[in-house]
Amino acid sequence: WLIENTSISDWASFCRDYNIFGIINAEKKVWTDKRIKYFRNVVGEHCIIWLSYDEEGNLLANYDTQDRECIYVWPAQKYGEFFLKSTKFNCDLGSSNLKPMEIHDFLDEYIDELTEQDVKIMIFPTEHGGALMTAESFRNMMIEELLKYEDFE
């Protein structure tokens, strides 16, 4: 009866009236905020990020679910390895293409180019997603965090 007597419009009204999508997005925002905070703390303290590279040794760019070009960064090797070996993403990269880089070097060597090419940074991606931000926003966030730990210019 329910399927035969309701329309898409009815379901849209229900979702709007009960703020279904707001509830879903709010839960994801809390998860994303926690992940960003953890990433900032670990990288700020240890000054290392983990990046994936292609077979030629170039920084590997991927696309998110909305076809935005992005690179992936992790706060620790184990998270990157798990992601790259995940069957959901079916990556054949393996951990040999996951390498550490000093955050200072990354900011100096890559951020300007990523900004120019409008390549986003996916922070700490997992099977549940990650936090996507512009390269410039990433730089600003990390400089702010690094200032807590050291004299960073």
Side-chain angles (χ1 to χ4, degrees), residues 76-105:
Q77 182 178 10
K78 65 183 177 182
Y79 300 118
E81 287 176 350
F82 178 78
F83 178 82
L84 294 175
K85 292 177 181 176
S86 170
T87 56
K88 179 178 178 184
F89 293 96
N90 201 20
C91 292
D92 279 335
L93 298 173
S95 59
S96 63
N97 290 48
L98 186 68
K99 298 178 184 166
M101 178 178 258
E102 291 275 340
I103 186 64
H104 304 87
D105 294 340

PDB file of all heavy atoms in Angstrom, residues 76-105:
ATOM      1  N   ALA A  76      49.572   8.818   9.347  1.00  0.00           N
ATOM      2  CA  ALA A  76      50.425   7.681   9.701  1.00  0.00           C
ATOM      3  C   ALA A  76      50.364   6.629   8.589  1.00  0.00           C
ATOM      4  O   ALA A  76      49.366   6.519   7.877  1.00  0.00           O
ATOM      5  CB  ALA A  76      49.985   7.062  11.027  1.00  0.00           C
ATOM      6  N   GLN A  77      51.423   5.877   8.471  1.00  0.00           N
ATOM      7  CA  GLN A  77      51.546   4.863   7.441  1.00  0.00           C
ATOM      8  C   GLN A  77      50.416   3.831   7.492  1.00  0.00           C
ATOM      9  O   GLN A  77      49.859   3.455   6.468  1.00  0.00           O
ATOM     10  CB  GLN A  77      52.896   4.168   7.574  1.00  0.00           C
ATOM     11  CG  GLN A  77      53.156   3.115   6.521  1.00  0.00           C
ATOM     12  CD  GLN A  77      54.531   2.473   6.666  1.00  0.00           C
ATOM     13  OE1 GLN A  77      55.227   2.679   7.658  1.00  0.00           O
ATOM     14  NE2 GLN A  77      54.919   1.714   5.670  1.00  0.00           N
ATOM     15  N   LYS A  78      50.069   3.383   8.688  1.00  0.00           N
ATOM     16  CA  LYS A  78      49.082   2.306   8.809  1.00  0.00           C
ATOM     17  C   LYS A  78      47.738   2.689   8.203  1.00  0.00           C
ATOM     18  O   LYS A  78      47.051   1.858   7.634  1.00  0.00           O
ATOM     19  CB  LYS A  78      48.923   1.868  10.264  1.00  0.00           C
ATOM     20  CG  LYS A  78      48.360   2.932  11.191  1.00  0.00           C
ATOM     21  CD  LYS A  78      48.294   2.430  12.625  1.00  0.00           C
ATOM     22  CE  LYS A  78      47.799   3.523  13.554  1.00  0.00           C
ATOM     23  NZ  LYS A  78      47.765   3.077  14.936  1.00  0.00           N
ATOM     24  N   TYR A  79      47.337   3.954   8.304  1.00  0.00           N
ATOM     25  CA  TYR A  79      46.052   4.380   7.750  1.00  0.00           C
ATOM     26  C   TYR A  79      46.100   4.398   6.219  1.00  0.00           C
ATOM     27  O   TYR A  79      45.152   3.994   5.559  1.00  0.00           O
ATOM     28  CB  TYR A  79      45.658   5.753   8.278  1.00  0.00           C
ATOM     29  CG  TYR A  79      45.530   5.793   9.772  1.00  0.00           C
ATOM     30  CD1 TYR A  79      46.353   6.616  10.533  1.00  0.00           C
ATOM     31  CD2 TYR A  79      44.599   5.006  10.435  1.00  0.00           C
ATOM     32  CE1 TYR A  79      46.239   6.658  11.912  1.00  0.00           C
ATOM     33  CE2 TYR A  79      44.484   5.036  11.818  1.00  0.00           C
ATOM     34  CZ  TYR A  79      45.308   5.865  12.545  1.00  0.00           C
ATOM     35  OH  TYR A  79      45.200   5.899  13.908  1.00  0.00           O
ATOM     36  N   GLY A  80      47.203   4.869   5.685  1.00  0.00           N
ATOM     37  CA  GLY A  80      47.361   4.872   4.232  1.00  0.00           C
ATOM     38  C   GLY A  80      47.402   3.464   3.667  1.00  0.00           C
ATOM     39  O   GLY A  80      46.786   3.179   2.640  1.00  0.00           O
ATOM     40  N   GLU A  81      48.130   2.578   4.331  1.00  0.00           N
ATOM     41  CA  GLU A  81      48.195   1.192   3.880  1.00  0.00           C
ATOM     42  C   GLU A  81      46.821   0.542   3.889  1.00  0.00           C
ATOM     43  O   GLU A  81      46.450  -0.143   2.941  1.00  0.00           O
ATOM     44  CB  GLU A  81      49.155   0.390   4.770  1.00  0.00           C
ATOM     45  CG  GLU A  81      50.599   0.703   4.530  1.00  0.00           C
ATOM     46  CD  GLU A  81      51.527  -0.037   5.482  1.00  0.00           C
ATOM     47  OE1 GLU A  81      51.046  -0.648   6.462  1.00  0.00           O
ATOM     48  OE2 GLU A  81      52.741   0.012   5.235  1.00  0.00           O
ATOM     49  N   PHE A  82      46.085   0.762   4.960  1.00  0.00           N
ATOM     50  CA  PHE A  82      44.751   0.186   5.044  1.00  0.00           C
ATOM     51  C   PHE A  82      43.870   0.685   3.892  1.00  0.00           C
ATOM     52  O   PHE A  82      43.180  -0.086   3.235  1.00  0.00           O
ATOM     53  CB  PHE A  82      44.100   0.505   6.391  1.00  0.00           C
ATOM     54  CG  PHE A  82      42.704  -0.033   6.503  1.00  0.00           C
ATOM     55  CD1 PHE A  82      42.490  -1.369   6.774  1.00  0.00           C
ATOM     56  CD2 PHE A  82      41.610   0.794   6.301  1.00  0.00           C
ATOM     57  CE1 PHE A  82      41.204  -1.884   6.863  1.00  0.00           C
ATOM     58  CE2 PHE A  82      40.316   0.297   6.383  1.00  0.00           C
ATOM     59  CZ  PHE A  82      40.114  -1.047   6.660  1.00  0.00           C
ATOM     60  N   PHE A  83      43.906   1.976   3.657  1.00  0.00           N
ATOM     61  CA  PHE A  83      43.097   2.563   2.595  1.00  0.00           C
ATOM     62  C   PHE A  83      43.492   2.003   1.226  1.00  0.00           C
ATOM     63  O   PHE A  83      42.635   1.599   0.443  1.00  0.00           O
ATOM     64  CB  PHE A  83      43.242   4.087   2.598  1.00  0.00           C
ATOM     65  CG  PHE A  83      42.477   4.758   1.502  1.00  0.00           C
ATOM     66  CD1 PHE A  83      41.125   5.010   1.646  1.00  0.00           C
ATOM     67  CD2 PHE A  83      43.101   5.156   0.331  1.00  0.00           C
ATOM     68  CE1 PHE A  83      40.409   5.644   0.643  1.00  0.00           C
ATOM     69  CE2 PHE A  83      42.394   5.780  -0.678  1.00  0.00           C
ATOM     70  CZ  PHE A  83      41.044   6.019  -0.518  1.00  0.00           C
ATOM     71  N   LEU A  84      44.785   1.982   0.945  1.00  0.00           N
ATOM     72  CA  LEU A  84      45.248   1.545  -0.377  1.00  0.00           C
ATOM     73  C   LEU A  84      44.996   0.062  -0.626  1.00  0.00           C
ATOM     74  O   LEU A  84      44.827  -0.361  -1.763  1.00  0.00           O
ATOM     75  CB  LEU A  84      46.728   1.869  -0.555  1.00  0.00           C
ATOM     76  CG  LEU A  84      47.057   3.358  -0.592  1.00  0.00           C
ATOM     77  CD1 LEU A  84      48.562   3.567  -0.646  1.00  0.00           C
ATOM     78  CD2 LEU A  84      46.373   4.054  -1.749  1.00  0.00           C
ATOM     79  N   LYS A  85      44.948  -0.715   0.436  1.00  0.00           N
ATOM     80  CA  LYS A  85      44.692  -2.154   0.288  1.00  0.00           C
ATOM     81  C   LYS A  85      43.212  -2.498   0.399  1.00  0.00           C
ATOM     82  O   LYS A  85      42.827  -3.641   0.214  1.00  0.00           O
ATOM     83  CB  LYS A  85      45.476  -2.933   1.343  1.00  0.00           C
ATOM     84  CG  LYS A  85      46.966  -2.880   1.118  1.00  0.00           C
ATOM     85  CD  LYS A  85      47.708  -3.593   2.214  1.00  0.00           C
ATOM     86  CE  LYS A  85      49.197  -3.517   1.986  1.00  0.00           C
ATOM     87  NZ  LYS A  85      49.950  -4.121   3.077  1.00  0.00           N
ATOM     88  N   SER A  86      42.403  -1.504   0.686  1.00  0.00           N
ATOM     89  CA  SER A  86      40.972  -1.725   0.877  1.00  0.00           C
ATOM     90  C   SER A  86      40.343  -2.277  -0.394  1.00  0.00           C
ATOM     91  O   SER A  86      40.557  -1.769  -1.479  1.00  0.00           O
ATOM     92  CB  SER A  86      40.303  -0.410   1.275  1.00  0.00           C
ATOM     93  OG  SER A  86      38.908  -0.542   1.234  1.00  0.00           O
ATOM     94  N   THR A  87      39.554  -3.307  -0.253  1.00  0.00           N
ATOM     95  CA  THR A  87      38.898  -3.889  -1.429  1.00  0.00           C
ATOM     96  C   THR A  87      37.844  -2.954  -2.005  1.00  0.00           C
ATOM     97  O   THR A  87      37.558  -2.993  -3.185  1.00  0.00           O
ATOM     98  CB  THR A  87      38.241  -5.233  -1.085  1.00  0.00           C
ATOM     99  OG1 THR A  87      37.343  -5.044  -0.002  1.00  0.00           O
ATOM    100  CG2 THR A  87      39.274  -6.265  -0.733  1.00  0.00           C
ATOM    101  N   LYS A  88      37.286  -2.097  -1.169  1.00  0.00           N
ATOM    102  CA  LYS A  88      36.267  -1.165  -1.653  1.00  0.00           C
ATOM    103  C   LYS A  88      36.843  -0.243  -2.728  1.00  0.00           C
ATOM    104  O   LYS A  88      36.195   0.086  -3.704  1.00  0.00           O
ATOM    105  CB  LYS A  88      35.710  -0.327  -0.505  1.00  0.00           C
ATOM    106  CG  LYS A  88      34.667   0.676  -0.947  1.00  0.00           C
ATOM    107  CD  LYS A  88      34.107   1.444   0.212  1.00  0.00           C
ATOM    108  CE  LYS A  88      33.114   2.472  -0.271  1.00  0.00           C
ATOM    109  NZ  LYS A  88      32.623   3.305   0.808  1.00  0.00           N
ATOM    110  N   PHE A  89      38.103   0.188  -2.532  1.00  0.00           N
ATOM    111  CA  PHE A  89      38.715   1.107  -3.475  1.00  0.00           C
ATOM    112  C   PHE A  89      39.528   0.383  -4.529  1.00  0.00           C
ATOM    113  O   PHE A  89      39.945   0.978  -5.504  1.00  0.00           O
ATOM    114  CB  PHE A  89      39.563   2.131  -2.730  1.00  0.00           C
ATOM    115  CG  PHE A  89      38.706   3.031  -1.899  1.00  0.00           C
ATOM    116  CD1 PHE A  89      38.506   2.776  -0.567  1.00  0.00           C
ATOM    117  CD2 PHE A  89      38.056   4.102  -2.469  1.00  0.00           C
ATOM    118  CE1 PHE A  89      37.689   3.590   0.199  1.00  0.00           C
ATOM    119  CE2 PHE A  89      37.229   4.917  -1.716  1.00  0.00           C
ATOM    120  CZ  PHE A  89      37.041   4.657  -0.383  1.00  0.00           C
ATOM    121  N   ASN A  90      39.781  -0.900  -4.311  1.00  0.00           N
ATOM    122  CA  ASN A  90      40.443  -1.736  -5.298  1.00  0.00           C
ATOM    123  C   ASN A  90      41.722  -1.107  -5.834  1.00  0.00           C
ATOM    124  O   ASN A  90      41.962  -1.082  -7.031  1.00  0.00           O
ATOM    125  CB  ASN A  90      39.471  -2.044  -6.447  1.00  0.00           C
ATOM    126  CG  ASN A  90      39.905  -3.269  -7.214  1.00  0.00           C
ATOM    127  OD1 ASN A  90      40.679  -4.072  -6.702  1.00  0.00           O
ATOM    128  ND2 ASN A  90      39.418  -3.400  -8.433  1.00  0.00           N
ATOM    129  N   CYS A  91      42.548  -0.574  -4.955  1.00  0.00           N
ATOM    130  CA  CYS A  91      43.818   0.016  -5.365  1.00  0.00           C
ATOM    131  C   CYS A  91      44.876  -1.080  -5.420  1.00  0.00           C
ATOM    132  O   CYS A  91      44.983  -1.883  -4.513  1.00  0.00           O
ATOM    133  CB  CYS A  91      44.266   1.081  -4.375  1.00  0.00           C
ATOM    134  SG  CYS A  91      43.230   2.544  -4.373  1.00  0.00           S
ATOM    135  N   ASP A  92      45.662  -1.099  -6.463  1.00  0.00           N
ATOM    136  CA  ASP A  92      46.763  -2.041  -6.572  1.00  0.00           C
ATOM    137  C   ASP A  92      48.087  -1.383  -6.213  1.00  0.00           C
ATOM    138  O   ASP A  92      49.137  -1.858  -6.590  1.00  0.00           O
ATOM    139  CB  ASP A  92      46.847  -2.587  -8.004  1.00  0.00           C
ATOM    140  CG  ASP A  92      45.860  -3.693  -8.248  1.00  0.00           C
ATOM    141  OD1 ASP A  92      45.462  -4.346  -7.274  1.00  0.00           O
ATOM    142  OD2 ASP A  92      45.493  -3.898  -9.413  1.00  0.00           O
ATOM    143  N   LEU A  93      48.036  -0.284  -5.499  1.00  0.00           N
ATOM    144  CA  LEU A  93      49.256   0.465  -5.238  1.00  0.00           C
ATOM    145  C   LEU A  93      50.131  -0.200  -4.204  1.00  0.00           C
ATOM    146  O   LEU A  93      51.343  -0.187  -4.303  1.00  0.00           O
ATOM    147  CB  LEU A  93      48.899   1.881  -4.790  1.00  0.00           C
ATOM    148  CG  LEU A  93      48.139   2.694  -5.820  1.00  0.00           C
ATOM    149  CD1 LEU A  93      47.697   4.010  -5.216  1.00  0.00           C
ATOM    150  CD2 LEU A  93      48.982   2.936  -7.034  1.00  0.00           C
ATOM    151  N   GLY A  94      49.520  -0.736  -3.178  1.00  0.00           N
ATOM    152  CA  GLY A  94      50.295  -1.365  -2.116  1.00  0.00           C
ATOM    153  C   GLY A  94      51.057  -0.336  -1.305  1.00  0.00           C
ATOM    154  O   GLY A  94      51.141   0.832  -1.646  1.00  0.00           O
ATOM    155  N   SER A  95      51.654  -0.779  -0.226  1.00  0.00           N
ATOM    156  CA  SER A  95      52.333   0.147   0.671  1.00  0.00           C
ATOM    157  C   SER A  95      53.662   0.631   0.118  1.00  0.00           C
ATOM    158  O   SER A  95      54.211   1.598   0.605  1.00  0.00           O
ATOM    159  CB  SER A  95      52.543  -0.514   2.031  1.00  0.00           C
ATOM    160  OG  SER A  95      53.313  -1.682   1.885  1.00  0.00           O
ATOM    161  N   SER A  96      54.210  -0.028  -0.921  1.00  0.00           N
ATOM    162  CA  SER A  96      55.497   0.398  -1.464  1.00  0.00           C
ATOM    163  C   SER A  96      55.385   1.774  -2.126  1.00  0.00           C
ATOM    164  O   SER A  96      56.377   2.456  -2.301  1.00  0.00           O
ATOM    165  CB  SER A  96      56.035  -0.625  -2.464  1.00  0.00           C
ATOM    166  OG  SER A  96      55.156  -0.723  -3.556  1.00  0.00           O
ATOM    167  N   ASN A  97      54.182   2.175  -2.503  1.00  0.00           N
ATOM    168  CA  ASN A  97      53.986   3.482  -3.121  1.00  0.00           C
ATOM    169  C   ASN A  97      53.478   4.514  -2.120  1.00  0.00           C
ATOM    170  O   ASN A  97      53.041   5.576  -2.504  1.00  0.00           O
ATOM    171  CB  ASN A  97      53.020   3.376  -4.298  1.00  0.00           C
ATOM    172  CG  ASN A  97      53.643   2.622  -5.452  1.00  0.00           C
ATOM    173  OD1 ASN A  97      54.208   1.567  -5.260  1.00  0.00           O
ATOM    174  ND2 ASN A  97      53.559   3.174  -6.639  1.00  0.00           N
ATOM    175  N   LEU A  98      53.533   4.186  -0.874  1.00  0.00           N
ATOM    176  CA  LEU A  98      53.140   5.097   0.194  1.00  0.00           C
ATOM    177  C   LEU A  98      54.421   5.531   0.889  1.00  0.00           C
ATOM    178  O   LEU A  98      55.178   4.692   1.371  1.00  0.00           O
ATOM    179  CB  LEU A  98      52.218   4.368   1.173  1.00  0.00           C
ATOM    180  CG  LEU A  98      51.594   5.193   2.264  1.00  0.00           C
ATOM    181  CD1 LEU A  98      50.578   6.170   1.668  1.00  0.00           C
ATOM    182  CD2 LEU A  98      50.903   4.292   3.257  1.00  0.00           C
ATOM    183  N   LYS A  99      54.675   6.847   0.884  1.00  0.00           N
ATOM    184  CA  LYS A  99      55.944   7.331   1.427  1.00  0.00           C
ATOM    185  C   LYS A  99      55.715   8.525   2.337  1.00  0.00           C
ATOM    186  O   LYS A  99      54.802   9.312   2.122  1.00  0.00           O
ATOM    187  CB  LYS A  99      56.878   7.734   0.288  1.00  0.00           C
ATOM    188  CG  LYS A  99      57.230   6.578  -0.617  1.00  0.00           C
ATOM    189  CD  LYS A  99      58.106   7.010  -1.755  1.00  0.00           C
ATOM    190  CE  LYS A  99      58.339   5.815  -2.667  1.00  0.00           C
ATOM    191  NZ  LYS A  99      58.884   6.187  -3.936  1.00  0.00           N
ATOM    192  N   PRO A 100      56.601   8.660   3.341  1.00  0.00           N
ATOM    193  CA  PRO A 100      56.489   9.807   4.239  1.00  0.00           C
ATOM    194  C   PRO A 100      57.144  11.042   3.631  1.00  0.00           C
ATOM    195  O   PRO A 100      58.032  10.941   2.784  1.00  0.00           O
ATOM    196  CB  PRO A 100      57.272   9.349   5.479  1.00  0.00           C
ATOM    197  CG  PRO A 100      58.321   8.445   4.929  1.00  0.00           C
ATOM    198  CD  PRO A 100      57.661   7.740   3.759  1.00  0.00           C
ATOM    199  N   MET A 101      56.675  12.205   4.062  1.00  0.00           N
ATOM    200  CA  MET A 101      57.297  13.459   3.671  1.00  0.00           C
ATOM    201  C   MET A 101      57.160  14.444   4.828  1.00  0.00           C
ATOM    202  O   MET A 101      56.119  14.494   5.476  1.00  0.00           O
ATOM    203  CB  MET A 101      56.636  14.031   2.416  1.00  0.00           C
ATOM    204  CG  MET A 101      57.219  15.369   1.984  1.00  0.00           C
ATOM    205  SD  MET A 101      56.483  16.022   0.466  1.00  0.00           S
ATOM    206  CE  MET A 101      57.776  15.595  -0.692  1.00  0.00           C
ATOM    207  N   GLU A 102      58.196  15.192   5.072  1.00  0.00           N
ATOM    208  CA  GLU A 102      58.132  16.255   6.075  1.00  0.00           C
ATOM    209  C   GLU A 102      57.046  17.233   5.647  1.00  0.00           C
ATOM    210  O   GLU A 102      56.972  17.615   4.479  1.00  0.00           O
ATOM    211  CB  GLU A 102      59.475  16.995   6.173  1.00  0.00           C
ATOM    212  CG  GLU A 102      60.595  16.189   6.749  1.00  0.00           C
ATOM    213  CD  GLU A 102      60.613  16.241   8.256  1.00  0.00           C
ATOM    214  OE1 GLU A 102      60.022  17.178   8.834  1.00  0.00           O
ATOM    215  OE2 GLU A 102      61.235  15.354   8.855  1.00  0.00           O
ATOM    216  N   ILE A 103      56.215  17.650   6.582  1.00  0.00           N
ATOM    217  CA  ILE A 103      55.127  18.577   6.260  1.00  0.00           C
ATOM    218  C   ILE A 103      55.677  19.896   5.718  1.00  0.00           C
ATOM    219  O   ILE A 103      55.114  20.475   4.798  1.00  0.00           O
ATOM    220  CB  ILE A 103      54.179  18.800   7.471  1.00  0.00           C
ATOM    221  CG1 ILE A 103      52.969  19.655   7.069  1.00  0.00           C
ATOM    222  CG2 ILE A 103      54.908  19.434   8.631  1.00  0.00           C
ATOM    223  CD1 ILE A 103      52.044  19.047   6.062  1.00  0.00           C
ATOM    224  N   HIS A 104      56.812  20.352   6.238  1.00  0.00           N
ATOM    225  CA  HIS A 104      57.413  21.600   5.749  1.00  0.00           C
ATOM    226  C   HIS A 104      57.780  21.464   4.268  1.00  0.00           C
ATOM    227  O   HIS A 104      57.549  22.387   3.482  1.00  0.00           O
ATOM    228  CB  HIS A 104      58.659  21.953   6.557  1.00  0.00           C
ATOM    229  CG  HIS A 104      58.413  22.058   8.019  1.00  0.00           C
ATOM    230  ND1 HIS A 104      58.467  20.964   8.847  1.00  0.00           N
ATOM    231  CD2 HIS A 104      58.089  23.108   8.802  1.00  0.00           C
ATOM    232  CE1 HIS A 104      58.209  21.342  10.083  1.00  0.00           C
ATOM    233  NE2 HIS A 104      57.967  22.640  10.092  1.00  0.00           N
ATOM    234  N   ASP A 105      58.369  20.324   3.903  1.00  0.00           N
ATOM    235  CA  ASP A 105      58.749  20.095   2.505  1.00  0.00           C
ATOM    236  C   ASP A 105      57.517  20.045   1.612  1.00  0.00           C
ATOM    237  O   ASP A 105      57.512  20.599   0.512  1.00  0.00           O
ATOM    238  CB  ASP A 105      59.548  18.792   2.365  1.00  0.00           C
ATOM    239  CG  ASP A 105      60.903  18.870   3.061  1.00  0.00           C
ATOM    240  OD1 ASP A 105      61.396  19.992   3.320  1.00  0.00           O
ATOM    241  OD2 ASP A 105      61.463  17.794   3.362  1.00  0.00           O
TER     242      ASP A 105
END
